[in-house]
Amino acid sequence: MKKKLLGIVFALLIGIPAFASITVSPTRLEINANKVKNNYFTTAVEIRGGNEPMRFRAYPGYFKISDKGEMIMLDSSSDPHDISGKVRFVPSEFTIPAGKSQKVRVNIANIKTLPDGESRAILYIEDVNAKELSVPYSGGSGIGAQLLLKTRVGIPVYVDKGNFKKQADIEYFNIVKGKDGLYTEMKILSTGNSKIRYNGTFQIVQDKKLIDEYPLDGKVVGDNNSYVARQKIETKNIKGPGEYTLRLVFTYFDENGNRKNIKKDAILKITNEV
């Protein structure tokens, strides 16, 4: 007996411009409500389909950022920072001909009633017609199930309003040993009421000479939250054993758009075993 299962292929668009047969631009919306003159904000997103006509619907949801740096999707919540109920789409359902695109207007109402800090929503674009995929039996021939697949992309929306603060600190910065080499481990604190988005560089220095430099993997840390980041140390340009300084240059932007740098040093000891 065949079973029909419903699955959703989902792509969260944080710097990912395309997934499956859907391309969306922009990939995220960040709004400073203090600069909006009216009590609403209006913008548009562009959706491009694939090589065949596709029908889509647009609808909002809510998300939180966990202390693991993951987005937790919620259909609804009682959180006052949930703006999903304030979002409207025009059109909310539409068909895109093959190779064409469609602009969808997004309206966020009553933004003056939002609390101080960061409020959020996620804009879902989902194809209406599920596609069937035959799943074979795991231990033999024949079809075990029919999987109904839908493609959905999500555009995160961040709205800062009132007295909001983007502020970061680093609680600790250590070097730890892993199975395949040395790693940096740091605990990043986001102490304001709005998220931070960080990047930066690592520098390897010996006797005031720059030996190597490579990028810090960027991430988003939610408001009033923390994140423990681990990243493998690149040692390919270190020519021999010895004691080096591993310097972290951590960069983010505050609520006024000012670039902020935090520098941390750790002693990097290279032996013949590494």
Side-chain angles (χ1 to χ4, degrees):
M1 178 179 177
K2 296 179 182 178
K3 294 182 179 180
K4 286 196 173 183
L5 306 173
L6 177 63
I8 294 180
V9 181
F10 177 65
L12 185 61
L13 295 179
I14 303 181
I16 305 174
F19 181 79
S21 299
I22 306 176
T23 303
V24 177
S25 179
T27 58
R28 66 173 178 258
L29 296 173
E30 296 185 279
I31 303 158
N32 185 340
N34 295 341
K35 297 182 179 180
V36 177
K37 295 181 180 180
N38 300 309
N39 195 23
Y40 62 89
F41 177 83
T42 300
T43 187
V45 296
E46 184 173 10
I47 300 98
R48 182 172 293 276
N51 297 324
E52 59 183 33
M54 297 184 70
R55 187 158 184 83
F56 298 97
R57 70 183 184 105
Y59 60 97
Y62 180 58
F63 71 94
K64 292 183 178 181
I65 302 175
S66 74
D67 58 3
K68 295 181 179 180
E70 299 170 343
M71 300 186 76
I72 302 173
M73 311 302 167
L74 301 168
D75 292 333
S76 63
S77 77
S78 58
D79 189 334
H81 296 277
D82 175 4
I83 59 170
S84 61
K86 300 178 182 293
V87 179
R88 299 291 181 270
F89 299 93
V90 180
S92 60
E93 190 166 323
F94 48 92
T95 298
I96 301 180
K100 301 295 183 179
S101 63
Q102 168 78 46
K103 283 193 175 181
V104 175
R105 188 155 296 279
V106 181
N107 182 275
I108 303 173
N110 298 320
I111 58 176
K112 291 183 179 179
T113 64
L114 295 176
D116 286 353
E118 178 188 277
S119 297
R120 294 174 301 279
I122 186 163
L123 311 182
Y124 291 120
I125 309 295
E126 181 180 284
D127 65 336
V128 173
N129 301 315
K131 299 174 179 62
E132 286 197 2
L133 177 67
S134 298
V135 180
Y137 284 115
S138 59
S141 60
I143 303 300
Q146 293 292 115
L147 186 62
L148 302 179
L149 293 179
K150 281 191 174 184
T151 302
R152 182 174 75 172
V153 296
I155 306 169
V157 181
Y158 303 90
V159 179
D160 287 315
K161 185 253 182 184
N163 183 21
F164 67 93
K165 196 86 171 173
K166 296 177 180 286
Q167 189 169 340
D169 199 0
I170 297 175
E171 185 172 305
Y172 60 78
F173 175 57
N174 298 324
I175 294 175
V176 297
K177 192 169 184 178
K179 292 182 179 180
D180 58 345
L182 296 173
Y183 284 77
T184 56
E185 183 176 274
M186 71 183 90
K187 186 173 183 179
I188 302 161
L189 306 178
S190 174
T191 57
N193 57 359
S194 179
K195 72 175 183 319
I196 60 162
R197 180 174 284 110
Y198 72 85
N199 54 30
T201 59
F202 289 107
Q203 297 175 343
I204 298 175
V205 179
Q206 187 180 52
D207 298 328
K208 298 183 179 180
K209 180 182 178 182
L210 181 64
I211 305 298
D212 199 6
E213 186 173 35
Y214 59 94
L216 165 68
D217 294 339
K219 196 80 173 179
V220 172
V221 185
D223 57 291
N224 293 301
N225 212 332
S226 64
Y227 175 67
V228 176
R230 285 172 61 97
Q231 185 172 336
K232 191 174 183 180
I233 299 172
E234 296 187 11
T235 58
K236 61 182 181 296
N237 290 328
I238 296 178
K239 303 304 181 183
E243 190 171 284
Y244 299 81
T245 297
L246 181 63
R247 178 162 298 143
L248 165 68
V249 182
F250 178 96
T251 301
Y252 73 99
F253 290 87
D254 69 11
E255 64 278 3
N256 298 312
N258 297 320
R259 181 188 180 101
K260 298 290 185 179
N261 291 327
I262 300 175
K263 295 183 179 181
K264 296 284 185 179
D265 287 354
I267 301 300
L268 175 61
K269 294 181 179 181
I270 299 296
T271 67
N272 290 323
E273 297 177 357
V274 178

PDB file of all heavy atoms in Angstrom, residues 231-263:
ATOM      1  N   GLN A 231      35.613  27.958  15.292  1.00  0.00           N
ATOM      2  CA  GLN A 231      36.131  28.014  13.925  1.00  0.00           C
ATOM      3  C   GLN A 231      37.542  27.452  13.897  1.00  0.00           C
ATOM      4  O   GLN A 231      38.369  27.771  14.763  1.00  0.00           O
ATOM      5  CB  GLN A 231      36.126  29.459  13.404  1.00  0.00           C
ATOM      6  CG  GLN A 231      36.538  29.591  11.946  1.00  0.00           C
ATOM      7  CD  GLN A 231      36.333  30.995  11.399  1.00  0.00           C
ATOM      8  OE1 GLN A 231      35.513  31.763  11.916  1.00  0.00           O
ATOM      9  NE2 GLN A 231      37.070  31.347  10.367  1.00  0.00           N
ATOM     10  N   LYS A 232      37.821  26.625  12.910  1.00  0.00           N
ATOM     11  CA  LYS A 232      39.137  26.007  12.806  1.00  0.00           C
ATOM     12  C   LYS A 232      40.197  27.051  12.491  1.00  0.00           C
ATOM     13  O   LYS A 232      40.001  27.932  11.661  1.00  0.00           O
ATOM     14  CB  LYS A 232      39.130  24.917  11.733  1.00  0.00           C
ATOM     15  CG  LYS A 232      40.389  24.059  11.752  1.00  0.00           C
ATOM     16  CD  LYS A 232      40.297  22.890  10.781  1.00  0.00           C
ATOM     17  CE  LYS A 232      41.546  22.015  10.874  1.00  0.00           C
ATOM     18  NZ  LYS A 232      41.488  20.870   9.928  1.00  0.00           N
ATOM     19  N   ILE A 233      41.334  26.944  13.166  1.00  0.00           N
ATOM     20  CA  ILE A 233      42.447  27.866  12.945  1.00  0.00           C
ATOM     21  C   ILE A 233      43.223  27.440  11.704  1.00  0.00           C
ATOM     22  O   ILE A 233      43.593  26.267  11.560  1.00  0.00           O
ATOM     23  CB  ILE A 233      43.376  27.903  14.173  1.00  0.00           C
ATOM     24  CG1 ILE A 233      42.590  28.396  15.403  1.00  0.00           C
ATOM     25  CG2 ILE A 233      44.586  28.791  13.921  1.00  0.00           C
ATOM     26  CD1 ILE A 233      43.374  28.287  16.693  1.00  0.00           C
ATOM     27  N   GLU A 234      43.468  28.362  10.820  1.00  0.00           N
ATOM     28  CA  GLU A 234      44.221  28.067   9.603  1.00  0.00           C
ATOM     29  C   GLU A 234      45.719  28.186   9.897  1.00  0.00           C
ATOM     30  O   GLU A 234      46.212  29.265  10.239  1.00  0.00           O
ATOM     31  CB  GLU A 234      43.812  29.020   8.479  1.00  0.00           C
ATOM     32  CG  GLU A 234      42.354  28.863   8.068  1.00  0.00           C
ATOM     33  CD  GLU A 234      41.995  29.692   6.849  1.00  0.00           C
ATOM     34  OE1 GLU A 234      42.911  30.221   6.189  1.00  0.00           O
ATOM     35  OE2 GLU A 234      40.786  29.822   6.561  1.00  0.00           O
ATOM     36  N   THR A 235      46.420  27.090   9.764  1.00  0.00           N
ATOM     37  CA  THR A 235      47.849  27.048  10.118  1.00  0.00           C
ATOM     38  C   THR A 235      48.738  26.748   8.914  1.00  0.00           C
ATOM     39  O   THR A 235      49.930  26.535   9.070  1.00  0.00           O
ATOM     40  CB  THR A 235      48.097  25.979  11.199  1.00  0.00           C
ATOM     41  OG1 THR A 235      47.659  24.700  10.710  1.00  0.00           O
ATOM     42  CG2 THR A 235      47.339  26.311  12.479  1.00  0.00           C
ATOM     43  N   LYS A 236      48.175  26.779   7.702  1.00  0.00           N
ATOM     44  CA  LYS A 236      48.947  26.362   6.523  1.00  0.00           C
ATOM     45  C   LYS A 236      50.129  27.274   6.231  1.00  0.00           C
ATOM     46  O   LYS A 236      51.110  26.847   5.621  1.00  0.00           O
ATOM     47  CB  LYS A 236      48.041  26.290   5.300  1.00  0.00           C
ATOM     48  CG  LYS A 236      47.365  27.596   4.894  1.00  0.00           C
ATOM     49  CD  LYS A 236      46.467  27.391   3.697  1.00  0.00           C
ATOM     50  CE  LYS A 236      45.804  28.687   3.250  1.00  0.00           C
ATOM     51  NZ  LYS A 236      44.904  29.227   4.274  1.00  0.00           N
ATOM     52  N   ASN A 237      50.054  28.536   6.647  1.00  0.00           N
ATOM     53  CA  ASN A 237      51.151  29.471   6.378  1.00  0.00           C
ATOM     54  C   ASN A 237      52.141  29.589   7.530  1.00  0.00           C
ATOM     55  O   ASN A 237      53.066  30.405   7.474  1.00  0.00           O
ATOM     56  CB  ASN A 237      50.602  30.852   6.016  1.00  0.00           C
ATOM     57  CG  ASN A 237      49.923  30.861   4.655  1.00  0.00           C
ATOM     58  OD1 ASN A 237      50.313  30.121   3.749  1.00  0.00           O
ATOM     59  ND2 ASN A 237      48.900  31.687   4.500  1.00  0.00           N
ATOM     60  N   ILE A 238      51.918  28.798   8.582  1.00  0.00           N
ATOM     61  CA  ILE A 238      52.876  28.755   9.689  1.00  0.00           C
ATOM     62  C   ILE A 238      53.972  27.756   9.329  1.00  0.00           C
ATOM     63  O   ILE A 238      53.703  26.581   9.072  1.00  0.00           O
ATOM     64  CB  ILE A 238      52.177  28.368  11.004  1.00  0.00           C
ATOM     65  CG1 ILE A 238      51.154  29.450  11.378  1.00  0.00           C
ATOM     66  CG2 ILE A 238      53.202  28.183  12.115  1.00  0.00           C
ATOM     67  CD1 ILE A 238      50.386  29.141  12.635  1.00  0.00           C
ATOM     68  N   LYS A 239      55.204  28.229   9.284  1.00  0.00           N
ATOM     69  CA  LYS A 239      56.302  27.417   8.751  1.00  0.00           C
ATOM     70  C   LYS A 239      56.922  26.462   9.769  1.00  0.00           C
ATOM     71  O   LYS A 239      57.569  25.489   9.390  1.00  0.00           O
ATOM     72  CB  LYS A 239      57.394  28.334   8.184  1.00  0.00           C
ATOM     73  CG  LYS A 239      56.891  29.282   7.093  1.00  0.00           C
ATOM     74  CD  LYS A 239      56.223  28.519   5.940  1.00  0.00           C
ATOM     75  CE  LYS A 239      55.746  29.476   4.849  1.00  0.00           C
ATOM     76  NZ  LYS A 239      55.037  28.755   3.766  1.00  0.00           N
ATOM     77  N   GLY A 240      56.743  26.731  11.042  1.00  0.00           N
ATOM     78  CA  GLY A 240      57.388  25.860  12.017  1.00  0.00           C
ATOM     79  C   GLY A 240      56.791  26.007  13.390  1.00  0.00           C
ATOM     80  O   GLY A 240      55.958  26.880  13.652  1.00  0.00           O
ATOM     81  N   PRO A 241      57.192  25.133  14.324  1.00  0.00           N
ATOM     82  CA  PRO A 241      56.678  25.200  15.695  1.00  0.00           C
ATOM     83  C   PRO A 241      57.140  26.487  16.390  1.00  0.00           C
ATOM     84  O   PRO A 241      58.140  27.103  16.008  1.00  0.00           O
ATOM     85  CB  PRO A 241      57.266  23.951  16.349  1.00  0.00           C
ATOM     86  CG  PRO A 241      58.480  23.629  15.552  1.00  0.00           C
ATOM     87  CD  PRO A 241      58.179  24.043  14.143  1.00  0.00           C
ATOM     88  N   GLY A 242      56.389  26.866  17.403  1.00  0.00           N
ATOM     89  CA  GLY A 242      56.736  28.077  18.147  1.00  0.00           C
ATOM     90  C   GLY A 242      55.503  28.679  18.782  1.00  0.00           C
ATOM     91  O   GLY A 242      54.413  28.098  18.767  1.00  0.00           O
ATOM     92  N   GLU A 243      55.688  29.836  19.357  1.00  0.00           N
ATOM     93  CA  GLU A 243      54.596  30.548  20.028  1.00  0.00           C
ATOM     94  C   GLU A 243      54.199  31.759  19.187  1.00  0.00           C
ATOM     95  O   GLU A 243      55.034  32.588  18.830  1.00  0.00           O
ATOM     96  CB  GLU A 243      55.025  30.979  21.433  1.00  0.00           C
ATOM     97  CG  GLU A 243      53.873  31.508  22.269  1.00  0.00           C
ATOM     98  CD  GLU A 243      54.272  31.722  23.714  1.00  0.00           C
ATOM     99  OE1 GLU A 243      54.386  30.721  24.458  1.00  0.00           O
ATOM    100  OE2 GLU A 243      54.488  32.898  24.085  1.00  0.00           O
ATOM    101  N   TYR A 244      52.931  31.842  18.884  1.00  0.00           N
ATOM    102  CA  TYR A 244      52.396  32.918  18.051  1.00  0.00           C
ATOM    103  C   TYR A 244      51.266  33.618  18.802  1.00  0.00           C
ATOM    104  O   TYR A 244      50.732  33.093  19.784  1.00  0.00           O
ATOM    105  CB  TYR A 244      51.844  32.362  16.730  1.00  0.00           C
ATOM    106  CG  TYR A 244      52.869  31.652  15.876  1.00  0.00           C
ATOM    107  CD1 TYR A 244      53.234  30.328  16.142  1.00  0.00           C
ATOM    108  CD2 TYR A 244      53.475  32.288  14.795  1.00  0.00           C
ATOM    109  CE1 TYR A 244      54.163  29.669  15.358  1.00  0.00           C
ATOM    110  CE2 TYR A 244      54.406  31.625  13.996  1.00  0.00           C
ATOM    111  CZ  TYR A 244      54.750  30.317  14.291  1.00  0.00           C
ATOM    112  OH  TYR A 244      55.680  29.666  13.509  1.00  0.00           O
ATOM    113  N   THR A 245      50.906  34.795  18.322  1.00  0.00           N
ATOM    114  CA  THR A 245      49.727  35.503  18.823  1.00  0.00           C
ATOM    115  C   THR A 245      48.616  35.369  17.794  1.00  0.00           C
ATOM    116  O   THR A 245      48.805  35.700  16.619  1.00  0.00           O
ATOM    117  CB  THR A 245      50.028  36.995  19.057  1.00  0.00           C
ATOM    118  OG1 THR A 245      51.023  37.128  20.063  1.00  0.00           O
ATOM    119  CG2 THR A 245      48.773  37.731  19.503  1.00  0.00           C
ATOM    120  N   LEU A 246      47.481  34.858  18.243  1.00  0.00           N
ATOM    121  CA  LEU A 246      46.298  34.817  17.395  1.00  0.00           C
ATOM    122  C   LEU A 246      45.406  35.981  17.804  1.00  0.00           C
ATOM    123  O   LEU A 246      44.919  36.038  18.934  1.00  0.00           O
ATOM    124  CB  LEU A 246      45.549  33.497  17.564  1.00  0.00           C
ATOM    125  CG  LEU A 246      44.294  33.355  16.694  1.00  0.00           C
ATOM    126  CD1 LEU A 246      44.642  33.369  15.212  1.00  0.00           C
ATOM    127  CD2 LEU A 246      43.528  32.081  17.041  1.00  0.00           C
ATOM    128  N   ARG A 247      45.238  36.919  16.887  1.00  0.00           N
ATOM    129  CA  ARG A 247      44.488  38.158  17.186  1.00  0.00           C
ATOM    130  C   ARG A 247      43.137  38.118  16.476  1.00  0.00           C
ATOM    131  O   ARG A 247      43.056  37.899  15.270  1.00  0.00           O
ATOM    132  CB  ARG A 247      45.284  39.375  16.741  1.00  0.00           C
ATOM    133  CG  ARG A 247      44.576  40.720  16.961  1.00  0.00           C
ATOM    134  CD  ARG A 247      45.585  41.842  16.912  1.00  0.00           C
ATOM    135  NE  ARG A 247      46.566  41.674  17.979  1.00  0.00           N
ATOM    136  CZ  ARG A 247      47.878  41.966  17.842  1.00  0.00           C
ATOM    137  NH1 ARG A 247      48.339  42.427  16.689  1.00  0.00           N
ATOM    138  NH2 ARG A 247      48.690  41.785  18.859  1.00  0.00           N
ATOM    139  N   LEU A 248      42.100  38.334  17.244  1.00  0.00           N
ATOM    140  CA  LEU A 248      40.748  38.444  16.710  1.00  0.00           C
ATOM    141  C   LEU A 248      40.388  39.916  16.547  1.00  0.00           C
ATOM    142  O   LEU A 248      40.546  40.706  17.483  1.00  0.00           O
ATOM    143  CB  LEU A 248      39.750  37.776  17.660  1.00  0.00           C
ATOM    144  CG  LEU A 248      38.270  38.104  17.444  1.00  0.00           C
ATOM    145  CD1 LEU A 248      37.760  37.510  16.132  1.00  0.00           C
ATOM    146  CD2 LEU A 248      37.431  37.623  18.618  1.00  0.00           C
ATOM    147  N   VAL A 249      39.929  40.287  15.360  1.00  0.00           N
ATOM    148  CA  VAL A 249      39.352  41.614  15.126  1.00  0.00           C
ATOM    149  C   VAL A 249      37.877  41.387  14.798  1.00  0.00           C
ATOM    150  O   VAL A 249      37.531  41.002  13.681  1.00  0.00           O
ATOM    151  CB  VAL A 249      40.066  42.363  13.989  1.00  0.00           C
ATOM    152  CG1 VAL A 249      39.464  43.760  13.821  1.00  0.00           C
ATOM    153  CG2 VAL A 249      41.561  42.456  14.256  1.00  0.00           C
ATOM    154  N   PHE A 250      37.036  41.614  15.763  1.00  0.00           N
ATOM    155  CA  PHE A 250      35.599  41.342  15.692  1.00  0.00           C
ATOM    156  C   PHE A 250      34.884  42.639  15.332  1.00  0.00           C
ATOM    157  O   PHE A 250      35.067  43.670  15.987  1.00  0.00           O
ATOM    158  CB  PHE A 250      35.140  40.816  17.053  1.00  0.00           C
ATOM    159  CG  PHE A 250      33.679  40.528  17.189  1.00  0.00           C
ATOM    160  CD1 PHE A 250      33.203  39.242  17.009  1.00  0.00           C
ATOM    161  CD2 PHE A 250      32.782  41.528  17.524  1.00  0.00           C
ATOM    162  CE1 PHE A 250      31.852  38.955  17.159  1.00  0.00           C
ATOM    163  CE2 PHE A 250      31.445  41.264  17.676  1.00  0.00           C
ATOM    164  CZ  PHE A 250      30.966  39.966  17.492  1.00  0.00           C
ATOM    165  N   THR A 251      34.060  42.609  14.287  1.00  0.00           N
ATOM    166  CA  THR A 251      33.442  43.827  13.765  1.00  0.00           C
ATOM    167  C   THR A 251      31.929  43.702  13.706  1.00  0.00           C
ATOM    168  O   THR A 251      31.397  42.677  13.274  1.00  0.00           O
ATOM    169  CB  THR A 251      33.976  44.132  12.349  1.00  0.00           C
ATOM    170  OG1 THR A 251      35.396  44.284  12.402  1.00  0.00           O
ATOM    171  CG2 THR A 251      33.364  45.406  11.799  1.00  0.00           C
ATOM    172  N   TYR A 252      31.236  44.748  14.158  1.00  0.00           N
ATOM    173  CA  TYR A 252      29.787  44.850  13.987  1.00  0.00           C
ATOM    174  C   TYR A 252      29.428  46.325  13.884  1.00  0.00           C
ATOM    175  O   TYR A 252      30.281  47.209  14.041  1.00  0.00           O
ATOM    176  CB  TYR A 252      29.049  44.180  15.151  1.00  0.00           C
ATOM    177  CG  TYR A 252      29.091  44.946  16.456  1.00  0.00           C
ATOM    178  CD1 TYR A 252      28.031  45.740  16.877  1.00  0.00           C
ATOM    179  CD2 TYR A 252      30.220  44.882  17.303  1.00  0.00           C
ATOM    180  CE1 TYR A 252      28.075  46.452  18.072  1.00  0.00           C
ATOM    181  CE2 TYR A 252      30.268  45.576  18.489  1.00  0.00           C
ATOM    182  CZ  TYR A 252      29.194  46.364  18.877  1.00  0.00           C
ATOM    183  OH  TYR A 252      29.244  47.063  20.061  1.00  0.00           O
ATOM    184  N   PHE A 253      28.167  46.628  13.607  1.00  0.00           N
ATOM    185  CA  PHE A 253      27.695  48.011  13.491  1.00  0.00           C
ATOM    186  C   PHE A 253      26.650  48.279  14.558  1.00  0.00           C
ATOM    187  O   PHE A 253      25.750  47.457  14.789  1.00  0.00           O
ATOM    188  CB  PHE A 253      27.114  48.277  12.104  1.00  0.00           C
ATOM    189  CG  PHE A 253      28.153  48.290  11.014  1.00  0.00           C
ATOM    190  CD1 PHE A 253      28.523  47.118  10.380  1.00  0.00           C
ATOM    191  CD2 PHE A 253      28.783  49.471  10.666  1.00  0.00           C
ATOM    192  CE1 PHE A 253      29.491  47.123   9.390  1.00  0.00           C
ATOM    193  CE2 PHE A 253      29.754  49.490   9.675  1.00  0.00           C
ATOM    194  CZ  PHE A 253      30.120  48.313   9.032  1.00  0.00           C
ATOM    195  N   ASP A 254      26.763  49.440  15.219  1.00  0.00           N
ATOM    196  CA  ASP A 254      25.821  49.768  16.284  1.00  0.00           C
ATOM    197  C   ASP A 254      24.539  50.338  15.705  1.00  0.00           C
ATOM    198  O   ASP A 254      24.337  50.391  14.483  1.00  0.00           O
ATOM    199  CB  ASP A 254      26.472  50.706  17.312  1.00  0.00           C
ATOM    200  CG  ASP A 254      26.747  52.106  16.768  1.00  0.00           C
ATOM    201  OD1 ASP A 254      26.274  52.458  15.664  1.00  0.00           O
ATOM    202  OD2 ASP A 254      27.448  52.878  17.460  1.00  0.00           O
ATOM    203  N   GLU A 255      23.643  50.802  16.584  1.00  0.00           N
ATOM    204  CA  GLU A 255      22.329  51.286  16.160  1.00  0.00           C
ATOM    205  C   GLU A 255      22.392  52.544  15.302  1.00  0.00           C
ATOM    206  O   GLU A 255      21.437  52.871  14.587  1.00  0.00           O
ATOM    207  CB  GLU A 255      21.439  51.546  17.387  1.00  0.00           C
ATOM    208  CG  GLU A 255      21.921  52.645  18.321  1.00  0.00           C
ATOM    209  CD  GLU A 255      23.000  52.183  19.293  1.00  0.00           C
ATOM    210  OE1 GLU A 255      23.434  51.013  19.219  1.00  0.00           O
ATOM    211  OE2 GLU A 255      23.401  53.009  20.135  1.00  0.00           O
ATOM    212  N   ASN A 256      23.505  53.250  15.335  1.00  0.00           N
ATOM    213  CA  ASN A 256      23.687  54.447  14.512  1.00  0.00           C
ATOM    214  C   ASN A 256      24.453  54.172  13.220  1.00  0.00           C
ATOM    215  O   ASN A 256      24.793  55.107  12.496  1.00  0.00           O
ATOM    216  CB  ASN A 256      24.417  55.527  15.322  1.00  0.00           C
ATOM    217  CG  ASN A 256      23.623  55.969  16.535  1.00  0.00           C
ATOM    218  OD1 ASN A 256      22.419  56.249  16.429  1.00  0.00           O
ATOM    219  ND2 ASN A 256      24.264  56.021  17.692  1.00  0.00           N
ATOM    220  N   GLY A 257      24.743  52.902  12.974  1.00  0.00           N
ATOM    221  CA  GLY A 257      25.485  52.545  11.772  1.00  0.00           C
ATOM    222  C   GLY A 257      26.979  52.733  11.896  1.00  0.00           C
ATOM    223  O   GLY A 257      27.694  52.683  10.886  1.00  0.00           O
ATOM    224  N   ASN A 258      27.466  52.956  13.119  1.00  0.00           N
ATOM    225  CA  ASN A 258      28.896  53.135  13.339  1.00  0.00           C
ATOM    226  C   ASN A 258      29.590  51.781  13.469  1.00  0.00           C
ATOM    227  O   ASN A 258      29.103  50.891  14.172  1.00  0.00           O
ATOM    228  CB  ASN A 258      29.151  53.959  14.603  1.00  0.00           C
ATOM    229  CG  ASN A 258      28.581  55.360  14.496  1.00  0.00           C
ATOM    230  OD1 ASN A 258      28.654  55.994  13.448  1.00  0.00           O
ATOM    231  ND2 ASN A 258      27.987  55.843  15.573  1.00  0.00           N
ATOM    232  N   ARG A 259      30.711  51.664  12.801  1.00  0.00           N
ATOM    233  CA  ARG A 259      31.489  50.418  12.853  1.00  0.00           C
ATOM    234  C   ARG A 259      32.183  50.294  14.206  1.00  0.00           C
ATOM    235  O   ARG A 259      32.837  51.232  14.675  1.00  0.00           O
ATOM    236  CB  ARG A 259      32.523  50.426  11.730  1.00  0.00           C
ATOM    237  CG  ARG A 259      33.387  49.180  11.632  1.00  0.00           C
ATOM    238  CD  ARG A 259      34.484  49.411  10.614  1.00  0.00           C
ATOM    239  NE  ARG A 259      35.340  48.255  10.464  1.00  0.00           N
ATOM    240  CZ  ARG A 259      35.261  47.375   9.471  1.00  0.00           C
ATOM    241  NH1 ARG A 259      34.357  47.562   8.510  1.00  0.00           N
ATOM    242  NH2 ARG A 259      36.065  46.347   9.401  1.00  0.00           N
ATOM    243  N   LYS A 260      32.039  49.135  14.839  1.00  0.00           N
ATOM    244  CA  LYS A 260      32.659  48.875  16.126  1.00  0.00           C
ATOM    245  C   LYS A 260      33.588  47.675  16.000  1.00  0.00           C
ATOM    246  O   LYS A 260      33.225  46.658  15.387  1.00  0.00           O
ATOM    247  CB  LYS A 260      31.592  48.590  17.189  1.00  0.00           C
ATOM    248  CG  LYS A 260      30.631  49.745  17.436  1.00  0.00           C
ATOM    249  CD  LYS A 260      31.325  50.904  18.130  1.00  0.00           C
ATOM    250  CE  LYS A 260      30.349  51.993  18.490  1.00  0.00           C
ATOM    251  NZ  LYS A 260      30.999  53.117  19.192  1.00  0.00           N
ATOM    252  N   ASN A 261      34.781  47.796  16.585  1.00  0.00           N
ATOM    253  CA  ASN A 261      35.753  46.711  16.575  1.00  0.00           C
ATOM    254  C   ASN A 261      36.064  46.271  18.001  1.00  0.00           C
ATOM    255  O   ASN A 261      36.235  47.117  18.898  1.00  0.00           O
ATOM    256  CB  ASN A 261      37.056  47.134  15.897  1.00  0.00           C
ATOM    257  CG  ASN A 261      36.893  47.332  14.402  1.00  0.00           C
ATOM    258  OD1 ASN A 261      36.095  46.642  13.767  1.00  0.00           O
ATOM    259  ND2 ASN A 261      37.631  48.255  13.836  1.00  0.00           N
ATOM    260  N   ILE A 262      36.132  44.979  18.209  1.00  0.00           N
ATOM    261  CA  ILE A 262      36.585  44.411  19.475  1.00  0.00           C
ATOM    262  C   ILE A 262      37.792  43.535  19.158  1.00  0.00           C
ATOM    263  O   ILE A 262      37.718  42.660  18.287  1.00  0.00           O
ATOM    264  CB  ILE A 262      35.482  43.568  20.145  1.00  0.00           C
ATOM    265  CG1 ILE A 262      34.245  44.429  20.432  1.00  0.00           C
ATOM    266  CG2 ILE A 262      36.004  42.945  21.445  1.00  0.00           C
ATOM    267  CD1 ILE A 262      33.066  43.639  20.976  1.00  0.00           C
ATOM    268  N   LYS A 263      38.903  43.761  19.859  1.00  0.00           N
ATOM    269  CA  LYS A 263      40.120  42.991  19.611  1.00  0.00           C
ATOM    270  C   LYS A 263      40.437  42.105  20.814  1.00  0.00           C
ATOM    271  O   LYS A 263      40.375  42.552  21.960  1.00  0.00           O
ATOM    272  CB  LYS A 263      41.296  43.931  19.315  1.00  0.00           C
ATOM    273  CG  LYS A 263      41.137  44.721  18.024  1.00  0.00           C
ATOM    274  CD  LYS A 263      42.348  45.589  17.727  1.00  0.00           C
ATOM    275  CE  LYS A 263      42.177  46.351  16.413  1.00  0.00           C
ATOM    276  NZ  LYS A 263      43.367  47.193  16.103  1.00  0.00           N
TER     277      LYS A 263
END
